[in-house]
Amino acid sequence: MQLGNEDTWDLQSSGGEIFEDDVGIVKQSVTIKTMLEDLGMHDEGDDDPVPLRNANAWRTHHKDDPPPPEDDEDKEKRTDNISVWDQEFLKVDQGTLFELILAANYLDVKGLLDVTCKSVANMVKRKTPAEIRKTFSIKNDLPGPCGGAQVRKENQRCEEKWNVMPDSVTL
Amino acid sequence: MGAWASRGRAARVPAPQPESEPEEALDLSQLPPELLLVVLSHVPPRTLLGRCRQVCRGWRALVDGQALWLLILARDHSATGRALLHLARSCQSPARNARPCPLGRFCARRPIGRNLIRNPCGQEGLRKWMVQHGGDGWVVEENRTTVPGAPSQTCFVTSFSWCRKKQVLDLEEEGLWPELLDSGRIEICVSDWWGARHDSGCMYRLLVQLLDANQTVLDKFSAVPDPIPQWNNNACLHVTHVFSNIKMGVRFVSFEHWGQDTQFWAGHYGARVTNSSVIVRVHLS
């Protein structure tokens, strides 16, 4: 017997809440879809509860999103195209944000993984190394001044510097 | 089950202010390394190379390694992007004395498909060119005929003796790593525009050379077109060439051209050159 998209499935989050979900929403997670197909049809609640928490709410909101076109490279590259709803959704404490990344990765929900990782990446942009360390509590274990000079020299080649020719050289 | 639910955590920080990001520190050590890689892959390449390398040893290792850049390259689903990803995987340079992976500079500079010649139309005066003034020397003027696709409708104008200018492109500096240059899969497309003032004939020469690391010439293209005569309706001509079987070892492109008038007039009545371009492309077959 096949599960239709209008059937429902009870899902339990690690917080103990039980969500009654359209199978259509649940199938957005590739992992769960695979699991459902492997298991065939079962009564609700027989299988182990799948922890979902906020990942569930995200998927509910985005359930009618069309799948992204194959060639939409620009959309993937940009980090400033996080929708207002998603931005509000992601205003959570750091623990929850990281749980969302892990959940999205585990459940293979690509859209959520993209938007959560982009929002953390946005915290890196426009910061100096010292500010980045402060934001993420990272200890500076790089070599000291002698190593630092080497690093600056390496980075000069990394920056867009015109050091082959000066402004206008008379031959 | 929620394996992460039981993971030990540092002391919880209070909920952030209603701003775009929490002020308190986020402990990234909670993220598995492969997910830190995914997060960093959304940071602009220049920031990764210029700032993230400087944060700590762990981040430096990720930025200097290959995996991060392959992740970034994999996002380009165009035909060129897929070809480049394949080349990046198969042509990766061996880890030699811990130098950063050259794919980083490639992703930051994005040298494929764009003009590597700087100041092609004189919009920055004579900057970025090595110049040799003949007669009354080089000047920059507005175009008398529209040149299609030019970033600026201005040109360099020559005088009554040969005026010469040259630009040498360092392909590795532009982000093209040696194995890619030697792969036989790239081509170098050269283009230049030259024209005349209606009331004066003029002459033009072009010489483009592909050089190895020791500045030895491996290949060249030379254009010696007939002069444009006087009374020419501001004629404007396009010169192009494609180097398609690039010899191994090519590391520099030398682009130089000359112009002068045929009337020997004081002032600037000689050949007008503009919109010079050198573009590297990838074979898609």
Side-chain angles (χ1 to χ4, degrees):
Chain A
M1 182 173 139
Q2 289 294 323
L3 277 176
N5 279 4
E6 60 284 358
D7 290 337
T8 60
W9 184 267
D10 282 349
L11 298 155
Q12 184 175 40
S13 79
S14 62
E17 304 134 273
I18 302 208
F19 296 93
E20 189 181 87
D21 245 354
D22 288 344
V23 170
I25 297 175
V26 170
K27 274 186 178 170
Q28 240 198 55
S29 159
V30 171
T31 307
I32 296 184
K33 181 166 180 279
T34 310
M35 182 187 79
L36 285 179
E37 283 161 1
D38 287 346
L39 294 172
M41 188 280 300
H42 274 275
D43 297 334
E44 320 84 276
D46 269 359
D47 299 296
D48 290 339
V50 180
L52 290 173
R53 293 189 67 178
N54 303 29
N56 196 53
W58 190 89
R59 290 205 325 276
T60 302
H61 177 85
H62 285 275
K63 68 182 164 92
D64 291 326
D65 285 0
E70 265 300 303
D71 264 337
D72 203 359
E73 61 199 75
D74 284 341
K75 185 166 180 283
E76 274 198 75
K77 283 182 189 162
R78 296 172 56 185
T79 57
D80 59 352
N81 57 348
I82 300 177
S83 71
V84 173
W85 189 91
D86 281 350
Q87 285 178 44
E88 287 300 312
F89 176 80
L90 293 170
K91 279 182 183 166
V92 293
D93 60 78
Q94 54 129 338
T96 308
L97 184 57
F98 285 175
E99 280 197 5
L100 279 173
I101 293 179
L102 293 167
N105 184 51
Y106 179 75
L107 294 172
D108 204 9
V109 184
K110 186 175 183 305
L112 180 59
L113 184 64
D114 270 355
V115 86
T116 48
C117 288
K118 280 184 189 180
S119 79
V120 179
N122 280 338
M123 299 172 198
V124 174
K125 287 160 90 169
R126 287 180 290 277
K127 285 195 166 78
T128 65
E131 287 163 351
I132 294 172
R133 278 185 224 115
K134 183 160 180 269
T135 303
F136 297 108
S137 302
I138 298 175
K139 184 171 174 294
N140 183 3
D141 57 354
L142 284 168
C146 298
Q150 172 65 15
V151 162
R152 271 195 299 282
K153 185 164 165 261
E154 278 173 30
N155 277 348
Q156 276 208 313
R157 274 183 78 87
C158 294
E159 288 162 13
E160 186 155 33
K161 247 185 111 118
W162 182 266
N163 56 9
V164 174
M165 262 163 262
D167 288 358
S168 155
V169 173
T170 304
L171 291 166
Chain B
M1 289 286 279
W4 61 87
S6 58
R7 181 192 292 259
R9 275 205 286 269
R12 263 199 181 268
V13 295
Q17 310 300 321
E19 282 155 342
S20 58
E21 60 184 70
E23 294 277 349
E24 298 77 13
L26 292 92
D27 184 6
L28 276 184
S29 63
Q30 291 186 50
L31 274 187
E34 65 272 16
L35 288 181
L36 176 57
L37 213 61
V38 175
V39 167
L40 288 179
S41 72
H42 289 289
V43 176
R46 290 221 170 106
T47 306
L48 291 169
L49 294 171
R51 305 272 173 95
C52 297
R53 274 192 97 243
Q54 309 278 56
V55 168
C56 65
R57 278 184 203 268
W59 283 35
R60 173 167 299 181
L62 289 178
V63 173
D64 287 354
Q66 197 199 28
L68 174 61
W69 305 107
L70 289 179
L71 200 54
I72 290 173
L73 287 171
R75 294 217 176 100
D76 184 352
H77 300 302
S78 69
T80 301
R82 289 196 303 269
L84 280 167
L85 180 63
H86 175 74
L87 285 162
R89 283 200 187 112
S90 59
C91 290
Q92 61 115 351
S93 55
R96 37 172 193 233
N97 50 299
R99 298 220 40 217
C101 175
L103 293 178
R105 192 182 306 161
F106 177 85
C107 289
R109 301 300 295 271
R110 297 164 76 186
I112 299 289
R114 70 168 175 90
N115 187 8
L116 301 177
I117 293 279
R118 287 162 165 87
N119 190 23
C121 300
Q123 61 272 55
E124 296 173 56
L126 297 179
R127 295 186 73 217
K128 312 306 186 192
W129 292 92
M130 293 186 281
V131 300
Q132 197 165 44
H133 296 286
D136 287 334
W138 289 97
V139 292
V140 174
E141 292 182 4
E142 300 272 325
N143 285 346
R144 288 167 174 255
T145 305
T146 302
V147 171
S152 167
Q153 292 295 330
T154 54
C155 61
F156 300 89
V157 188
T158 58
S159 187
F160 56 87
S161 289
W162 284 116
C163 291
R164 170 185 169 217
K165 67 178 171 66
K166 177 173 170 175
Q167 210 174 107
V168 178
L169 307 174
D170 180 341
L171 298 175
E172 280 192 82
E173 177 78 31
E174 297 290 350
L176 298 159
W177 67 96
E179 290 77 6
L180 174 66
L181 291 169
D182 295 340
S183 66
R185 295 287 305 276
I186 66 159
E187 56 188 26
I188 299 178
C189 308
V190 174
S191 155
D192 200 20
W193 289 82
W194 71 286
R197 270 179 70 123
H198 173 60
D199 53 0
S200 174
C202 68
M203 296 189 287
Y204 162 91
R205 302 277 185 271
L206 173 68
L207 177 63
V208 183
Q209 295 174 296
L210 305 186
L211 313 170
D212 71 6
N214 302 319
Q215 308 286 307
T216 305
V217 179
L218 297 181
D219 205 349
K220 69 178 180 188
F221 167 72
S222 171
V224 187
D226 293 334
I228 295 178
Q230 198 180 21
W231 315 120
N232 52 61
N233 277 327
N234 297 312
C236 194
L237 302 171
H238 190 199
V239 180
T240 61
H241 179 72
V242 177
F243 293 96
S244 48
N245 291 318
I246 311 271
K247 292 198 175 79
M248 287 192 56
V250 169
R251 300 291 177 264
F252 295 91
V253 178
S254 163
F255 182 105
E256 62 188 304
H257 50 192
W258 297 253
Q260 69 170 352
D261 71 19
T262 53
Q263 323 288 134
F264 212 69
W265 284 342
H268 303 93
Y269 292 81
R272 309 161 73 81
V273 296
T274 190
N275 205 17
S276 310
S277 81
V278 173
I279 297 180
V280 178
R281 301 195 199 275
V282 175
H283 285 313
L284 294 179
S285 54

